[in-house]
Amino acid sequence: MGLMLSKLSAALEQPRLKKARSRLKKLFWSTKWLGGNIAWTAVTGAIVLVAPVFIEYERECQMFEQLAQTQSMQMNANPVL
C-alpha cells in the first residue's frame, strides 16, 4: 500500500500533471464565480422586473372584486319609485 501511495504522489508531482491540476482548479473557481454572478443577475432581474407586475395584477384584481361587489349591491337594492 505504501509503495502505491509513493508512486501516486511521485506521479502527481510531474510538471504536466501539476499544470493540469492548476488549470482545472482555476476553471472550477472561474465557473463558480461566473455561475454566482449569473444567478445574482437573474434573481435581481426577477425582483426588479416581475415584482411590480405582480403587485399591479393584485391591485387590478382587488379593483374588479370591489367593482363586482358594488354592482351586486346596486342590483340588490330596492328600486326608488
Side-chain angles (χ1 to χ4, degrees):
M1 183 77 175
L3 179 63
M4 288 175 32
L5 287 177
S6 65
K7 284 186 178 183
L8 179 64
S9 65
L12 290 177
E13 294 302 318
Q14 291 180 354
R16 288 178 58 189
L17 288 177
K18 276 186 172 181
K19 191 173 187 178
R21 188 175 14 176
S22 172
R23 285 184 178 177
L24 282 175
K25 192 182 292 187
K26 286 179 185 176
L27 177 65
F28 171 75
W29 288 110
S30 297
T31 305
K32 182 180 172 187
W33 175 83
L34 182 62
N37 282 342
I38 289 172
W40 180 85
T41 303
V43 169
T44 303
I47 290 170
V48 169
L49 298 174
V50 176
V53 172
F54 180 73
I55 292 170
E56 188 62 32
Y57 176 75
E58 286 295 321
R59 188 183 305 167
E60 189 176 350
C61 286
Q62 285 179 349
M63 181 189 71
F64 283 128
E65 287 175 4
Q66 194 174 29
L67 182 65
Q69 185 181 17
T70 304
Q71 286 178 350
S72 175
M73 286 174 47
Q74 288 175 350
M75 295 293 278
N76 293 334
N78 291 330
V80 177
L81 297 174

